[in-house]
Amino acid sequence: MNNHTSDAEFTQPPLGDLKNLALLVYILQGLGFATGGLTWIAAMMVNYIKFDSVRDSWLESHFRWQLNTFWYGLLWWIVGLVLWLLLLGWLVWGLLSLWALYRVVRGALTLNDNKPIVF
């Protein structure tokens, strides 16, 4: 009896399951508006842990879109924090919120249509 595990036993999850993960990330990002951003960190963890599973599929574009939304959002959140000293932080954070909301909604709608996101 051979106790070795064959490569065939390590299969990728079906794209439907990975699509559900991408949807979960959009939901976590959306919830981030109500939780002070805490769920954005959980969303990032899902993105980084499962990124290799979506590589070279149409879902890769969604994972990249979600990662870019997080990192650029964090950058502009920090800029807004610094600009609070000049009383302009509210403007930066307001624009950032609208931008992030647009990206979450656009991404989720495109995912629902089973299409890759176009940057």
Side-chain angles (χ1 to χ4, degrees):
M1 179 172 209
N2 187 351
N3 287 333
H4 290 192
T5 306
S6 70
D7 289 338
E9 292 180 39
F10 295 109
T11 58
Q12 292 288 83
L15 280 181
D17 291 345
L18 295 171
K19 180 183 172 187
N20 289 340
L21 277 177
L23 178 60
L24 172 66
V25 170
Y26 285 124
I27 291 169
L28 289 171
Q29 288 178 332
L31 288 173
F33 291 102
T35 64
L38 187 60
T39 57
W40 285 81
I41 295 168
M44 287 295 295
M45 292 171 65
V46 171
N47 276 138
Y48 279 116
I49 290 169
K50 298 305 273 184
F51 192 83
D52 284 339
S53 298
V54 298
R55 193 174 305 278
D56 297 327
S57 75
W58 66 275
L59 290 169
E60 181 179 357
S61 65
H62 285 275
F63 274 57
R64 288 191 187 282
W65 177 265
Q66 293 164 338
L67 290 168
N68 287 340
T69 301
F70 175 83
W71 288 115
Y72 284 114
L74 181 61
L75 170 69
W76 283 104
W77 185 86
I78 292 169
V79 168
L81 185 65
V82 171
L83 288 177
W84 273 104
L85 299 173
L86 302 175
L87 302 178
L88 293 175
W90 64 271
L91 177 62
V92 173
W93 282 359
L95 292 173
L96 172 60
S97 294
L98 290 175
W99 173 82
L101 184 60
Y102 162 78
R103 287 181 64 94
V104 169
V105 170
R106 178 178 173 212
L109 289 174
T110 306
L111 178 71
N112 186 60
D113 291 339
N114 294 320
K115 295 180 181 175
I117 196 108
V118 178
F119 292 89

